[in-house]
Amino acid sequence: MKRLNIFEGIILWICLLFLGCPPHRGGNLRVRLAPAISWKLASPQTLGRSFAALQLWKGTFRGKTFQFLSQIEVDRDHIVIVGLTSMGQKLFTLIYRHGKIDYQAEPYFRVSLRPKSILADVQLVMWPMNKLKKHIIAKNFLVRERKKQQYIREVVHQNKVIIRIRYETT
């Protein structure tokens, strides 16, 4: 079972940071989230608004914790994500426009990322609930939100939490 904790109001995509997949430009819009769950990338316009944010991403995957900064910009035509070190040094640039992904890593950044997974994670965290269910491809799944001491969004498959997103404010 893939169980993911995300802090600082941010995302799952760090969790996929070290799984490795060659950088690419591509048009296949499906992403595997778990063995029985896929995600179809949504077009930027489905968010329903434009925004820009500088965010700290912190995630845990297979017992390892990862963190970095990102500048994210979304408008009706594209999503741009720039990954940065904690000191502001650029690591990678990812652009999703018209169903195509362009990903470029800096030469000193030797980690292979899965650009589609990063985009899927951004959408899982930032897109409204009513938009999410249209993009998950699976049987017997549920996307739910809980608001107790902190806001939590979960993807559940066959009664098991596959992905857990925890939102925190600073």
Side-chain angles (χ1 to χ4, degrees):
M1 177 173 87
K2 176 179 168 185
R3 181 170 241 162
L4 201 56
N5 295 316
I6 302 301
F7 302 99
E8 303 296 322
I10 319 246
I11 264 174
L12 300 159
W13 57 294
I14 283 292
C15 68
L16 301 170
L17 187 64
F18 290 104
L19 290 179
C21 181
H24 72 287
R25 288 172 178 79
N28 179 358
L29 301 180
R30 282 193 177 196
V31 181
R32 187 176 141 188
L33 300 178
I37 300 179
S38 293
W39 176 264
K40 183 177 183 233
L41 291 175
S43 68
Q45 68 186 16
T46 61
L47 179 61
R49 63 184 173 93
S50 297
F51 79 91
L54 178 65
Q55 295 185 316
L56 172 65
W57 301 77
K58 185 175 181 183
T60 303
F61 182 71
R62 295 186 179 166
K64 293 183 181 181
T65 299
F66 309 95
Q67 112 176 4
F68 66 91
L69 293 171
S70 71
Q71 174 69 36
I72 301 174
E73 296 177 12
V74 180
D75 66 23
R76 67 178 289 107
D77 297 319
H78 68 275
I79 300 171
V80 177
I81 302 168
V82 179
L84 308 162
T85 67
S86 59
M87 300 298 288
Q89 184 178 21
K90 185 167 76 167
L91 299 171
F92 65 88
T93 303
L94 190 159
I95 301 171
Y96 178 48
R97 180 187 338 234
H98 306 299
K100 304 249 190 252
I101 299 168
D102 184 19
Y103 170 79
Q104 295 179 351
E106 296 301 314
Y108 49 82
F109 185 57
R110 295 193 174 111
V111 176
S112 293
L113 295 178
R114 293 180 173 178
K116 289 190 304 185
S117 295
I118 293 170
L119 285 165
D121 290 342
V122 166
Q123 292 179 356
L124 279 168
V125 170
M126 297 184 162
W127 262 234
M129 274 292 286
N130 63 345
K131 310 279 179 151
L132 292 178
K133 294 177 183 180
K134 297 175 184 176
H135 295 278
I136 293 179
I137 302 163
K139 294 180 181 178
N140 303 319
F141 81 94
L142 169 69
V143 180
R144 65 184 179 203
E145 294 180 328
R146 296 182 293 150
K147 297 174 188 174
K148 290 188 178 181
Q149 292 177 336
Q150 71 182 156
Y151 185 79
I152 295 174
R153 180 178 283 178
E154 297 174 324
V155 177
V156 180
H157 183 254
Q158 296 179 342
N159 297 318
K160 294 181 185 175
V161 175
I162 304 298
I163 297 170
R164 177 174 290 132
I165 303 161
R166 295 182 188 182
Y167 299 83
E168 292 184 2
T169 57
T170 54

